Every structure is written in C-alpha cells, then in structure tokens.
C-alpha cells in the first residue's frame, strides 16, 4: 500500500532536445501534472501509486519510465495513440516540434480506470485527483464521482484542477483544493487578481465543498482558507530557471505533509518550500528533500482577519481578541 494515490488519467511521454557541448542532447521522460506531483512526493519520502491509462507504444514506454523512477503503476493498458510531445530547447526557449493529447477514454476503459483508482485510493486513504493531458480525455463529472466516492470510503481527497473539472470535484467534496489565480480568472470565478476578489471566490469554493482552499499567485504570497479562516503564505524568492511545475510541487509538498498527519494549515509550509525550490531547476517536480527542509525556515504564514461586511481584510501576526476585532470594524475616525 502506498502513502499517496494519484489519479492521472493520461500521463505524457516527453521528448526534449537540448544542447550540450555543441551537440544535440535528447531527454526522454514521463511527464504531465500527476507525474510531476509524484516525482516531488518521492523526493519528500512518500510512496506513490499512479492510476493511469497506458496507451499504445507510448504507454509501454511510460510504464518503464514511471517504474524506473520508483512510482507504483496501476495502469490500464489499451491500444491507440497516447499523449506525447517533442520540444526543442536549443534556442533557449521551448519550440514545439510535435505534440498530441492522445485519444479520449472509451466508456469501458473509464469504468476500469475508475475502479482501479477507488481500490488504490481507499487503501492509501489519501488521493490526489490531477488533470488529463487534454480536455476531451474524460468527462468532467468523473471528478465529482471520484471525490464523493473516495471520501465516502474514508479517504482524504486533494485536487489541483481548473475549469469544469475543478467545479465537478468541489461539488463532490474535497479536503484540499489548490488552484492558481490565473485559473480562477480563466474559469470566470474572479474578475481580477485583487486579493479581495480572490478571497470572495475562495469563500464560495469553501461553501460549495472544499474544506481548505489554496490559491497560488505566481511570485506573490499565496492564500489559504480553511475552517480557521484566511492566511497569507510567503515563499522564499529564488532565482528562476523554469516556473513550470512549481504549482504541482506546491501541491505535492502539502500532500506529503498531510501523509505524515499534518493539517493543511501546517502542511502549506512544506508546500511553499517545495514550490520555491522547483523554480530553480529545469527538471519538473524535482528537488532535494534536505534543501526543502531548510527552505521551510524561510516560509512565513500570517493570519488574515476578514470581516467582509465591514470590508476588512488585513494580515495580522498573532491572535486578535473579540474587542480588537470590533475595533477594527469601526470607522477610522471612531477608533
């Protein structure tokens, strides 16, 4: 039994061409959101089983790559065209040579993958629901059903999703939802990136079924809402090599701490450190556990007092009494 189960419907075979010593240097890896999360979880000492489809020749290669990294694979093998891409980075930026999202899951394949995920998720008691390679891979409602069924069986559910898949999972009920401010805008959940607007959306998501909500904000401090209220989490600022995968490392860091029994409010410290370290590397979802442990010391978490009716939203460093809250709610000239 693994510490964490990851639902990753369609992992991607990645082929990246770089340059070393004036010659092409070709790298072949497993990729995609669920893979990046699994990779970071392994670095942080958690064991992982990935529930996924392994399609055609691409799928056969993906199984070997995943298992070589130490990721357990509960895979549904099927014929067809799997998700893959070829990128050229020799010019200092990514140029797309070829890419495919692969083929959508047929009904019977989806049923089999759903059953695999329930079995593994109920055994591990902690499951991440991650997104597929393409929008057409599977119905969004799959995430609602999986979230509801896993929680009904006593498992904790963490989701890192956007759009219709995010909405579906929240309707099913989740323990932790992680989403970026950009994804909230694209999904029409906020009109702008202001803290007040984001906090309003977080309240709505919390009321709909997300016990804890984490919103990442690029280089700005990210926000947390749970049963205790709002908090602002500030990560150490690192020199950026590649920002891709930082959000997935954040999610993996949170989940690794939850697997050790921490509450989301405490687990975000590891998540913040893992996300910060990931941007210093070209390998997505990679990092050194000792370095992440050291970076935890540079993460700050500040409680945010929020009284929406009084239009108050400000960070505080400690406990505030009811009298103090009342004072904050009064107009400035009455204080």
């Amino acid at each position: 039994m693994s510490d964490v189960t990851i639902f990753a419907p369609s992992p991607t075979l990645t082929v990246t061409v770089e340059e070393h010593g004036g010659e092409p240097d070709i790298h072949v890896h497993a990729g995609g959101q669920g893979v990046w999360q699994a990779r970071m979880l392994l670095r942080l000492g958690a064991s992982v089983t990935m529930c996924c489809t392994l399609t055609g020749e691409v799928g056969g290669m993906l199984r070997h790559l995943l298992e070589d990294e130490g990721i357990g694979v509960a895979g549904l093998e099927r014929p067809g065209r799997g998700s893959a891409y070829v990128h050229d980075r020799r010019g200092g930026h990514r140029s797309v040579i070829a890419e495919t999202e692969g083929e959508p899951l047929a009904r019977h394949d989806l049923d089999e993958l759903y059953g695999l995920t329930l079995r593994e998720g109920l055994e591990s008691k902690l499951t991440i629901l991650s997104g597929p390679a393409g929008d057409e891979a599977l119905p969004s409602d799959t995430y609602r059903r999986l979230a509801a069924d896993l929680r009904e069986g006593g498992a904790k559910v963490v989701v890192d999703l956007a759009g219709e898949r995010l909405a579906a999972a929240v309707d099913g009920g989740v323990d932790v939802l992680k989403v970026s401010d950009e994804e909230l805008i694209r999904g029409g959940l906020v009109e702008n990136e202001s803290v007040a607007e984001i906090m309003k959306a977080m309240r709505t998501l919390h009321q709909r079924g997300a016990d804890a909500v984490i919103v990442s904000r690029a280089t700005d401090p990210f926000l947390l809402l749970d049963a205790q209220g709002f908090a602002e989490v500030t990560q150490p600022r690192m020199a950026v090599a590649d920002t891709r995968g930082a959000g997935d490392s954040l999610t993996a860091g949170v989940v690794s701490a939850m697997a050790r029994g921490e509450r989301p409010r405490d687990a975000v410290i590891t998540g913040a450190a893992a996300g910060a370290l990931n941007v210093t590397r070209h390998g997505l979802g990679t990092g050194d556990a000792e370095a992440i442990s050291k970076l935890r010391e540079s993460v700050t978490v500040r409680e945010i007092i929020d009284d929406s009716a009084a239009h108050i939203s400000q960070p505080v460093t400690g406990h505030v009494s009811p009298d103090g809250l009342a004072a904050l709610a009064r107009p400035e000239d009455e204080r």
Side-chain angles (χ1 to χ4, degrees):
M1 180 184 72
S2 296
D3 297 322
V4 180
T5 295
I6 298 181
F7 176 65
S10 50
T12 301
L13 179 66
T14 74
V15 181
T16 305
V17 185
E18 298 185 347
E19 188 169 317
H20 183 72
E23 296 292 332
D25 189 14
I26 301 173
H27 300 267
V28 180
H29 296 289
Q33 183 184 38
V35 176
W36 301 329
Q37 292 165 345
R39 194 170 283 145
M40 180 57 77
L41 279 162
L42 290 177
R43 299 297 192 280
L44 291 169
S47 58
V48 181
T49 294
M50 179 174 294
C51 299
C52 58
T53 55
L54 301 168
T55 307
E57 294 180 5
V58 163
M61 185 171 291
L62 280 169
R63 177 184 286 279
H64 289 296
L65 291 169
L66 292 168
E67 291 178 345
D68 285 349
E69 289 196 51
I71 300 171
V73 179
L76 172 66
E77 298 183 4
R78 61 173 187 155
R81 185 181 69 255
S83 173
Y85 70 65
V86 181
H87 288 178
D88 190 338
R89 289 184 50 168
R90 286 175 291 180
H93 61 277
R94 289 182 181 269
S95 297
V96 177
I97 306 302
E99 58 186 10
T100 175
E101 295 177 348
E103 299 177 11
L105 275 72
R107 180 170 60 85
H108 293 298
D109 291 339
L110 180 57
D111 286 346
E112 289 299 318
L113 181 60
Y114 194 97
L116 283 175
T117 306
L118 279 182
R119 182 192 73 199
E120 297 295 332
L122 293 176
E123 286 186 1
S124 69
K125 298 296 185 182
L126 180 54
T127 300
I128 301 176
L129 303 184
S130 69
D135 290 338
E136 305 302 320
L138 73 169
S140 296
D141 191 59
T142 306
Y143 289 89
R144 178 192 61 80
R145 296 192 297 119
L146 264 178
D149 287 346
L150 285 165
R151 297 235 297 181
E152 182 67 22
K156 287 183 169 60
V157 176
V158 176
V159 302
D160 188 349
L161 300 167
E164 293 181 359
R165 292 188 287 273
L166 178 154
V170 170
D171 287 344
V174 301
D175 292 270
V176 179
L177 163 67
K178 183 267 170 185
V179 63
S180 73
D181 56 353
E182 293 178 347
E183 290 163 340
L184 290 177
I185 290 174
R186 285 196 295 269
L189 294 173
V190 297
E191 296 180 358
N192 56 62
E193 296 177 354
S194 70
V195 172
E197 187 77 2
I198 292 171
M199 289 172 64
K200 179 180 176 182
M202 293 172 74
R203 289 186 211 100
T204 299
L205 291 167
H206 180 60
Q207 291 164 359
R208 281 180 54 182
D211 290 353
V213 182
I214 298 169
V215 177
S216 59
R217 302 165 58 225
T219 59
D220 291 329
F222 65 85
L223 302 174
L224 166 72
L225 172 63
D226 60 9
Q228 293 177 250
F230 284 97
E232 176 191 79
V233 184
T234 303
Q235 302 165 275
R237 290 182 177 271
M238 313 296 286
V240 176
D242 191 342
T243 59
R244 297 173 73 232
D248 298 315
S249 290
L250 190 163
T251 300
V254 170
V255 171
S256 72
M258 289 177 63
R260 297 192 299 270
E262 292 187 16
R263 304 171 306 157
R265 180 158 290 230
D266 301 316
V268 294
I269 298 174
T270 300
L277 183 64
N278 187 87
V279 304
T280 69
R281 307 168 67 92
H282 290 293
L284 278 63
T286 62
D288 177 73
E290 186 173 347
I292 291 170
S293 179
K294 292 292 185 184
L295 284 175
R296 280 174 49 93
E297 300 171 9
S298 301
V299 176
T300 61
V301 180
R302 299 196 300 173
E303 180 186 353
I304 297 176
I305 294 178
D306 175 58
D307 185 336
S308 302
H311 306 291
I312 294 171
S313 174
Q314 67 180 66
V316 296
T317 56
H319 175 73
V320 178
S321 69
D323 291 340
L325 285 173
L328 284 171
R330 291 199 300 269
E332 223 172 87
D333 57 1
E334 296 180 14
R335 294 179 192 172

